[in-house]
Amino acid sequence: GYWATRVATNLMGIVPVVGPQLQKLVVGGADYGHHTLTRFFALHAGVLPGLLIGFLVLHIVMFRRHGIHTPESDDRPDTTFWPDQVLKDAVACLAVLAVVLFFAVRPALSGDHTGQAPGDYLGAELGAPADPSNEYSAARPEWYFLFLFQFLKLFEGWGETGELLGAIVVPGALMGVLALMPILGRWRLGHRFNIGFLACLMTGVGVLTGQALYADRVAQFAAKPASADKEDPFAKRYEASESYLRAVESAEEEAHRAVTLARAPAGIPPSGMLTVLRNDPKAQGPRLFKRYCGSCHQHDAVAEKPADITAPDLTNFGSREWIAGLLDPEKVDSPHYFGGTKHKAGDMVGFVKDSLAGEKKENIENVVAALSAEAKLRSQHATDQKDQAKIEAGKKLIAETVGCTDCHKYYGDGDVGDSMGPDLTGYASRDWLVGMISNPNAERFYGENNDRMPAFAAHAELAENNIISPANLDLLVDWLRGEWYEPKAPEAE
């Protein structure tokens, strides 16, 4: 609703001469807020119904004064308004009510709704609160306005002139012709013109509506040609459709997340639901990752991936699965790890391919368990508790046998510095991740061996000089570690 209101009022603002004043009048000021809501409510609940009643009264007055003039004689017997006409009107209203009721309860007739409250699948769709600070690519008008949305695409690249023509001039001219139809219809030629004009208009509306529906779903119906270049119109349509479908999916996920957080014990604070979402790692993490990390790294939870992966894949970073891949001679120099970095030919890759390739499988598994336990991931807490013996054996291997401390520091063993690798003490833990993202050039991490990762928060005392704020850094780290609120599953009876 927020984004639909922005589009509609922005179109109002391009009306010549009076447009900006009309827009400000309807919005209730320079920006959208409570004044906008109250003015829209007044328009829909007061002004428009009042106008409708006024025109109905005028219609009835004219009807009573002039009576009914049929073009042909009607031989049917006269009937009374009550009860004959009232009965017909009631049956028609009942049919409409039945159709509306069917669409209201249709979600309950299909699908499995076990564990869901009726409000989860009945009634109007509940989306997440609009956030003006984030773009919303899933916005679309209702189906009966899709033709106008598609029509405006014909004027893309025309600037303000195109907007004026597509949104004001051409629709205004068409409405002017519709208003003149009763006068034109008095003549035989005018009557034929009216019929032809309506036929062309409805055909155009239908074609534009079909094009709009297809354009948003072309990715579902066709595969993008492998040979398509950036100038291929089909490739552009496919990419636009794919982007829109991803945005719709993301919006639905955020809506479900908003409902989950609203039902949390903390509830909704006085500052509103938007504050809760802005402080939720699961909701904000993908946006922050895409903004700060997505140009080099990839993550399965972020739909858009960089064209060229030039840094390790951070999906499940710090987990046993991720570290097992890092210590796998077949994977360590793949694009998911060091394949896109200058470390592809470095000491770590050589160590994994040469030294670790000959290690016993059991020893590698113990090292993986011990190193992953440093992360203290919530998702692995139960597993770490169960595998304490394996973790202790892995710690001993890291410090004394395998050779990790030749380049890394691990508690009291090894060293750190420009010629060394990152400190493995607390590897992938929350504190470790915050430090790495803040300043990978620090002695504790890569020092001069840093490839090209920027220091996002190196200025501890001057936060305004950092690339990322402390609050956003905390949200990003919590999201990478999978730490956010989730309702407890009901206990089995």
Side-chain angles (χ1 to χ4, degrees), residues 31-343:
D31 204 357
Y32 303 86
H34 295 297
H35 289 165
T36 313
L37 288 176
T38 54
R39 295 192 180 205
F40 268 57
F41 179 79
L43 283 171
H44 285 82
V47 177
L48 294 179
L51 289 174
L52 177 61
I53 292 173
F55 279 113
L56 282 175
V57 171
L58 179 62
H59 170 74
I60 294 173
V61 169
M62 298 298 291
F63 168 72
R64 299 295 295 177
R65 174 175 295 183
H66 299 287
I68 298 177
H69 296 275
T70 58
E72 298 178 1
S73 59
D74 191 349
D75 297 331
R76 290 178 297 178
D78 293 340
T79 59
T80 58
F81 181 76
W82 175 270
D84 297 332
Q85 187 60 43
V86 171
L87 177 61
K88 294 178 182 178
D89 292 346
V91 171
C93 291
L94 183 62
V96 172
L97 181 61
V99 172
V100 173
L101 183 62
F102 167 76
F103 283 109
V105 302
R106 185 177 60 170
L109 304 177
S110 60
D112 182 12
H113 304 294
T114 304
Q116 291 181 300
D120 292 340
Y121 54 88
L122 291 178
E125 179 183 0
L126 178 64
D131 189 349
S133 63
N134 292 317
E135 64 179 16
Y136 184 70
S137 302
R140 287 293 185 273
E142 296 293 343
W143 65 269
Y144 44 81
F145 277 138
L146 277 176
F147 74 94
L148 183 58
F149 171 75
Q150 186 69 18
F151 181 70
L152 289 173
K153 290 183 181 180
L154 301 177
F155 298 91
E156 288 181 349
W158 289 35
E160 293 183 359
T161 303
E163 289 184 344
L164 184 63
L165 286 172
I168 304 298
V169 176
V170 176
L174 294 176
M175 294 301 295
V177 174
L178 290 174
L180 292 174
M181 275 188 173
I183 300 174
L184 297 176
R186 294 181 177 183
W187 297 278
R188 178 174 297 180
L189 185 60
H191 177 67
R192 293 177 179 176
F193 169 81
N194 287 348
I195 294 175
F197 178 81
L198 279 177
C200 294
L201 181 63
M202 298 308 296
T203 300
V205 167
V207 170
L208 290 172
T209 302
Q211 287 180 335
L213 291 171
Y214 178 75
D216 281 342
R217 292 162 177 80
V218 63
Q220 293 180 333
F221 305 139
K224 180 181 177 181
S227 60
D229 56 30
K230 294 183 179 180
E231 300 301 324
D232 184 354
F234 181 84
K236 291 181 179 179
R237 290 198 301 270
Y238 183 92
E239 291 170 0
S241 170
E242 192 175 31
S243 176
Y244 168 71
L245 293 174
R246 283 199 302 263
V248 171
E249 183 179 358
S250 176
E252 291 176 350
E253 291 175 355
E254 189 168 358
H256 290 306
R257 183 61 182 168
V259 172
T260 299
L261 293 174
R263 291 174 176 166
I268 303 175
S271 55
M273 192 65 212
L274 187 56
T275 302
V276 178
L277 279 176
R278 284 177 172 172
N279 294 324
D280 177 48
K282 187 175 183 180
Q284 299 303 320
R287 290 195 181 101
L288 295 172
F289 184 89
K290 182 179 176 181
R291 178 179 178 183
Y292 296 109
C293 315
S295 59
C296 298
H297 298 274
Q298 74 171 23
H299 194 290
D300 287 350
V302 179
E304 295 184 9
K305 296 179 173 59
D308 298 315
I309 302 172
T310 58
D313 186 340
L314 298 182
T315 307
N316 298 322
F317 177 72
S319 66
R320 294 191 183 188
E321 177 188 4
W322 193 92
I323 295 176
L326 176 66
L327 301 183
D328 186 338
E330 300 295 329
K331 297 179 180 179
V332 65
D333 59 350
S334 71
H336 288 285
Y337 292 97
F338 293 129
T341 73
K342 73 175 186 180
H343 302 299

